[in-house]
C-alpha cells in the first residue's frame, strides 16, 4: 500500500490532521467508493515516519470523536494500528456509505458535502449532490420521469427504425412501458430521461445538449491541429457504432502473414477492446452531468476515450477478467441489451482483456481526470518506430532516392520484393518466379543485397547461409519500411 500513489481510495498523512481536514477525507471516501487513510506516513516524498506507540489509543479516540461529532449521517470507521520496522501507523478504513450525501454537520449538505476527485477532496456541486441523493434512493438519473413532456412531442423515428431491425415488431406504447421508458402516474403518461436520450432532435438536443460524442483525429501526439473531427449528435443507441466507425477510419489494417492461401489481417489497435470501451462510455456515462460530452481523441501514439462520470465504485479495471458488472443507467442498459449493443452482462471487460493479449505492443491505462473516466490505448513501441522511421528516411534520402521516386510513381522492384516476402518466406528463385523472371536477374540480386544491407530482410537459416533450403524473410524493420512508403505515397 505504501508504494501506491494517493488516489480515489487512498491518502497518507504524516500526523493527525485537524478535525475538518480529517472529516473531509472521511466524508469524501464515504460518498464515493470507500477508502483508506494512513496516518504516520509522509506522502511526498513517501516515507514511514511513525507515531508514538504510547499515544495510539489517544489518537484513536480523537479520530473517533472527530468523525462522530462532525459527520452526518453517522460514519463508522475501522481503525487499526500497524507496525512496520518498529514504526507505528494508524489505518482508518472507511466503507462506501449507504446513506449519502455525507456532509459536515456544521456546514450542511450544500456547503459541507465533499467528494473524492483523484487524490483531492472537493466540495460537491449541486449536480453531484443530486446524484448522491438518487444513489441513496437507488434511483438512476435516466429512469427519472418528466411530467412536462407529452409523448407526442418526442420524435422516436431513428430509435424505432433500429428497434425494428434489431428486435422486430413495432415500438408501441406497451413496448415502451415494458422497457420502463414510459409509465402512467396519477393518470398521466410520463416519460423517462432515457426515452428522451433515445429520441431525435430537437427535443433531445434541447434537454440534453451534451449527450453526444465528440471525435477528433489530431496530427502528432498532443491536441492541436485537426486531421479530422466529427460531432456525433444522434440518439444514444446509435452513438457507439458511429464513434467506432470513426476510429476504424483513422487506424490502419495490414496483413501479418498467411494461413494457407488466406491472408491474416491485423489492425494496429485491438479493435474489439476499443469497441467495448466505446460501448461502455455511451452506456455507463453520467448523463446528469451538464456541459460534459464523451470525447474520443486519436493521436499518432495513442487513442483516448473519455466519458463523463467516474468509474462505478464496484468496478476494478485492474481485475478485468473477473466478469464484473455494475449499471449506472438502469433504464438504458436493458434497452441496449435488447438491441444487442450489450452482448452479455459482465462480459465487456473480459473481452477487452482477451483482445489485449494479442497486442503486447499496446498498453491500456485508465485514469479519472476530474469527474470523468478515461481509457487510453498506448503504442509502447511508438518511440522506437519514430527513431527507425527517421533512420529509414535518412537512408531513403541518401541511398534510395531513385527507388522512392519510382515508388511514388509506380511500384519499384525493392518494394515488390518486400511485399512478396511479407506474405511468406521465399527463396531467391521463388522470388524471381513470382516476379515473372525466367532467371534471377542481376538487378534482382542487387535489390536483395540492398535489402540485406538495410536490415529489411534476413535469412531463415542464418547459421548455414548456403543451405539448399535457405529462404528470405522480412524483418520487423522491413515491415515498418513498407508502412513508411505507404504513408509517403498517401501524402
Amino acid at each position: 500500500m505504501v508504494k501506491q500513489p494517493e488516489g480515489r481510495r487512498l491518502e497518507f498523512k504524516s500526523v493527525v490532521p485537524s478535525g475538518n481536514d480529517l472529516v473531509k477525507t472521511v466524508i469524501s471516501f464515504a460518498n464515493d467508493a470507500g477508502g483508506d487513510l494512513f496516518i504516520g506516513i509522509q506522502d511526498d516524498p513517501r516515507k514511514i515516519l511513525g507515531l508514538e506507540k504510547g499515544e495510539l489509543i489517544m489518537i484513536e479516540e480523537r479520530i473517533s470523536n472527530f468523525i462522530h461529532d462532525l459527520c452526518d449521517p453517522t460514519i463508522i470507521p475501522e481503525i487499526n494500528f500497524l507496525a512496520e520496522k518498529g514504526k507505528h501507523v494508524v489505518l482508518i478504513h472507511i466503507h462506501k456509505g449507504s446513506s449519502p450525501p455525507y456532509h459536515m454537520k456544521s456546514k450542511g449538505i450544500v456547503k459541507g458535502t465533499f467528494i473524492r476527485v483523484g487524490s483531492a477532496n472537493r466540495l460537491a456541486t449541486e449536480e453531484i449532490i443530486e446524484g448522491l441523493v438518487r444513489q441513496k434512493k437507488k434511483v438512476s438519473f435516466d429512469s427519472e420521469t418528466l411530467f412536462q413532456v407529452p409523448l407526442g412531442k418526442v420524435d422516436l423515428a431513428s430509435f424505432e427504425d433500429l428497434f425494428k431491425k434489431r428486435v422486430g415488431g413495432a415500438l408501441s406504447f406497451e413496448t415502451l412501458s415494458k422497457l420502463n421508458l414510459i409509465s402512467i402516474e396519477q393518470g398521466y403518461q410520463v416519460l423517462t430521461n432515457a426515452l428522451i436520450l433515445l429520441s431525435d432532435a430537437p427535443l433531445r438536443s434541447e434537454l440534453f445538449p451534451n449527450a453526444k460524442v465528440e471525435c477528433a483525429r489530431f496530427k502528432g501526439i498532443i491536441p492541436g491541429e485537426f486531421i479530422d473531427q466529427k460531432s456525433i449528435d444522434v440518439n444514444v443507441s446509435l452513438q457507439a457504432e458511429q464513434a467506432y466507425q470513426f476510429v476504424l477510419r483513422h487506424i490502419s489494417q495490414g496483413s501479418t502473414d498467411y494461413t494457407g492461401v488466406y491472408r491474416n489481417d491485423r489492425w494496429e489497435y485491438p479493435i474489439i477492446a476499443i469497441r467495448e470501451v466505446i460501448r461502455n462510455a455511451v452506456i455507463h456515462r453520467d448523463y446528469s452531468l451538464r456541459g460534459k460530452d464523451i470525447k474520443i481523441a486519436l493521436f499518432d501514439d495513442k487513442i483516448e476515450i473519455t466519458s463523463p462520470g467516474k468509474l462505478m465504485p464496484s468496478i476494478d479495471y485492474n481485475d478485468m477478467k473477473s466478469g464484473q458488472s455494475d449499471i449506472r443507467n438502469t433504464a438504458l442498459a436493458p434497452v441496449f441489451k435488447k438491441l444487442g449493443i450489450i452482448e452479455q452482462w459482465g462480459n465487456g471487460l473480459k473481452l477487452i482483456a482477451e483482445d489485449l493479449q494479442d497486442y503486447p505492443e499496446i498498453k491500456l491505462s485508465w485514469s479519472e481526470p476530474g469527474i470523468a473516466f478515461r481509457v487510453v490505448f498506448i503504442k509502447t513501441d511508438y518511440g522506437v518506430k519514430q527513431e527507425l522511421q527517421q533512420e529509414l528516411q535518412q537512408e531513403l534520402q541518401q541511398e534510395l532516392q531513385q527507388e522512392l521516386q519510382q515508388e511514388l510513381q509506380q511500384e519499384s522492384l525493392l518494394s515488390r520484393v518486400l511485399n512478396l516476402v511479407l506474405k511468406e518466406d521465399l527463396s531467391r528463385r521463388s522470388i524471381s518466379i513470382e516476379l515473372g523472371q525466367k532467371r534471377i536477374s542481376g538487378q534482382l540480386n542487387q535489390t536483395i543485397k540492398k535489402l540485406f544491407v538495410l536490415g529489411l530482410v534476413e535469412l531463415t537459416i542464418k547459421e548455414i547461409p548456403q543451405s539448399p533450403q535457405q529462404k528470405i524473410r522480412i524483418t520487423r524493420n522491413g515491415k515498418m519500411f513498407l508502412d513508411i512508403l505507404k504513408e509517403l505515397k498517401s501524402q
Side-chain angles (χ1 to χ4, degrees):
M1 292 291 287
V2 172
K3 295 179 181 178
Q4 301 300 316
E6 282 194 331
R8 183 178 182 181
R9 306 184 189 193
L10 185 62
E11 184 165 317
F12 298 95
K13 295 290 185 184
S14 56
V15 297
V16 180
S18 67
N20 284 349
D21 286 343
L22 173 70
V23 299
K24 283 180 183 178
T25 298
V26 169
I27 286 170
S28 297
F29 283 156
N31 278 328
D32 192 31
D36 293 310
L37 170 59
F38 285 85
I39 299 177
I41 299 178
Q42 179 178 283
D43 178 43
D44 188 17
R46 188 65 54 78
K47 184 179 180 181
I48 300 177
L49 302 178
L51 302 168
E52 291 294 332
K53 183 178 180 181
E55 297 180 358
L56 292 178
I57 298 300
M58 182 183 67
I59 290 173
E60 178 185 20
E61 291 177 354
R62 183 181 175 192
I63 290 170
S64 297
N65 290 335
F66 277 150
I67 295 174
H68 179 271
D69 295 342
L70 303 180
C71 299
D72 190 39
T74 300
I75 298 174
I76 302 176
E78 289 184 14
I79 302 177
N80 293 289
F81 303 143
L82 307 176
E84 176 70 17
K85 297 180 180 178
K87 295 182 178 180
H88 300 277
V89 173
V90 173
L91 167 60
I92 307 169
H93 177 73
I94 304 298
H95 293 278
K96 170 179 168 54
S98 58
S99 299
Y102 293 90
H103 57 279
M104 296 175 66
K105 287 181 181 179
S106 62
K107 294 182 178 293
I109 292 178
V110 175
K111 295 184 178 181
T113 301
F114 291 87
I115 58 167
R116 196 75 174 165
V117 179
S119 61
N121 305 314
R122 293 285 184 264
L123 185 65
T125 63
E126 184 179 340
E127 289 176 335
I128 298 297
I129 293 173
E130 290 173 354
L132 292 171
V133 172
R134 284 193 295 270
Q135 183 180 319
K136 179 179 180 180
K137 295 179 179 178
K138 295 182 170 51
V139 175
S140 64
F141 174 76
D142 67 326
S143 65
E144 287 190 331
T145 53
L146 298 166
F147 282 88
Q148 71 275 24
V149 181
L151 182 59
K153 193 179 177 181
V154 182
D155 183 357
L156 296 171
S158 60
F159 176 51
E160 185 172 11
D161 183 58
L162 179 64
F163 192 86
K164 286 180 179 178
K165 290 179 181 177
R166 302 304 298 268
V167 182
L171 198 61
S172 63
F173 178 84
E174 289 73 20
T175 303
L176 294 174
S177 297
K178 288 179 180 179
L179 291 172
N180 295 316
L181 298 175
I182 192 171
S183 63
I184 299 293
E185 293 187 20
Q186 301 176 21
Y188 292 94
Q189 292 180 354
V190 290
L191 316 183
T192 61
N193 286 329
L195 186 62
I196 304 299
L197 290 166
L198 291 165
S199 70
D200 296 323
L203 183 61
R204 186 198 68 256
S205 299
E206 177 185 333
L207 296 178
F208 300 104
N210 291 98
K212 57 185 177 179
V213 184
E214 294 291 348
C215 303
R217 172 62 169 101
F218 292 99
K219 184 177 182 179
I221 60 175
I222 59 174
E225 183 180 346
F226 288 104
I227 294 176
D228 188 19
Q229 59 184 131
K230 182 178 182 180
S231 180
I232 301 175
D233 190 12
V234 294
N235 90 68
V236 296
S237 66
L238 301 174
Q239 290 180 0
E241 180 60 26
Q242 291 189 21
Y244 179 58
Q245 292 302 322
F246 180 89
V247 172
L248 293 186
R249 287 202 306 273
H250 290 284
I251 63 176
S252 61
Q253 182 184 30
S255 58
T256 55
D257 53 27
Y258 277 68
T259 302
V261 297
Y262 299 102
R263 186 178 68 180
N264 296 323
D265 290 330
R266 186 178 189 268
W267 292 89
E268 64 175 310
Y269 284 98
I271 59 171
I272 293 175
I274 288 174
R275 179 197 67 194
E276 292 303 315
V277 172
I278 292 174
R279 285 177 171 179
N280 286 341
V282 175
I283 294 168
H284 299 301
R285 68 159 285 180
D286 190 341
Y287 288 97
S288 72
L289 298 176
R290 307 288 179 173
K292 301 179 185 296
D293 46 39
I294 295 171
K295 285 185 168 53
I296 299 178
L298 290 87
F299 303 89
D300 289 354
D301 62 336
K302 60 184 173 291
I303 297 176
E304 291 182 353
I305 301 167
T306 307
S307 179
K310 295 196 290 185
L311 186 67
M312 296 291 285
S314 62
I315 300 297
D316 184 0
Y317 250 70
N318 295 317
D319 185 20
M320 300 175 70
K321 295 183 180 181
S322 61
Q324 305 168 69
S325 179
D326 201 351
I327 300 172
R328 173 178 274 119
N329 298 303
T330 58
L332 283 174
V335 175
F336 280 36
K337 178 73 164 60
K338 200 168 187 68
L339 292 172
I341 302 173
I342 299 176
E343 295 178 358
Q344 181 179 334
W345 299 120
N347 198 41
L349 291 183
K350 291 175 66 177
L351 289 174
I352 294 171
E354 291 169 0
D355 200 22
L356 283 167
Q357 289 179 350
D358 295 328
Y359 285 81
E361 75 278 18
I362 300 295
K363 174 187 174 183
L364 182 140
S365 70
W366 62 273
S367 61
E368 292 179 301
I371 310 298
F373 181 67
R374 175 176 295 161
V375 175
V376 187
F377 295 88
I378 304 167
K379 292 180 178 179
T380 58
D381 59 355
Y382 176 75
V384 176
K385 286 186 177 180
Q386 287 297 100
E387 291 179 9
L388 176 62
Q389 182 166 334
Q390 292 175 2
E391 293 175 5
L392 291 178
Q393 285 176 336
Q394 289 176 3
E395 294 287 354
L396 285 170
Q397 292 171 1
Q398 297 172 11
E399 299 184 34
L400 300 176
Q401 277 299 334
Q402 292 182 352
E403 285 81 358
L404 175 59
Q405 292 302 321
Q406 291 176 10
E407 172 61 25
L408 294 175
Q409 299 171 13
Q410 60 183 1
E411 191 174 24
S412 68
L413 181 60
L414 184 140
S415 64
R416 290 171 66 192
V417 172
L418 270 181
N419 277 303
L420 285 173
V421 294
L422 174 66
K423 298 177 182 178
E424 59 178 322
D425 302 340
L426 295 171
S427 65
R428 288 175 183 252
R429 178 61 181 159
S430 297
I431 292 172
S432 68
I433 293 173
E434 290 288 336
L435 292 171
Q437 299 179 358
K438 294 182 179 179
R439 58 185 179 83
I440 303 173
S441 66
Q443 183 186 14
L444 176 59
N445 271 326
Q446 287 299 318
T447 298
I448 293 174
K449 180 179 178 181
K450 184 172 291 187
L451 289 171
F452 275 110
V453 171
L454 294 173
L456 305 182
V457 298
E458 62 185 6
L459 297 174
T460 55
I461 309 175
K462 297 178 181 179
E463 62 276 12
I464 311 177
Q466 303 303 319
S467 170
Q469 286 77 41
Q470 189 66 265
K471 292 184 180 181
I472 297 170
R473 68 182 169 213
I474 194 168
T475 63
R476 182 186 179 194
N477 290 357
K479 293 178 182 178
M480 293 184 187
F481 179 84
L482 286 177
D483 289 340
I484 293 169
L485 287 179
K486 183 179 177 181
E487 290 177 9
L488 291 173
K489 194 170 182 180
S490 67
Q491 294 172 3

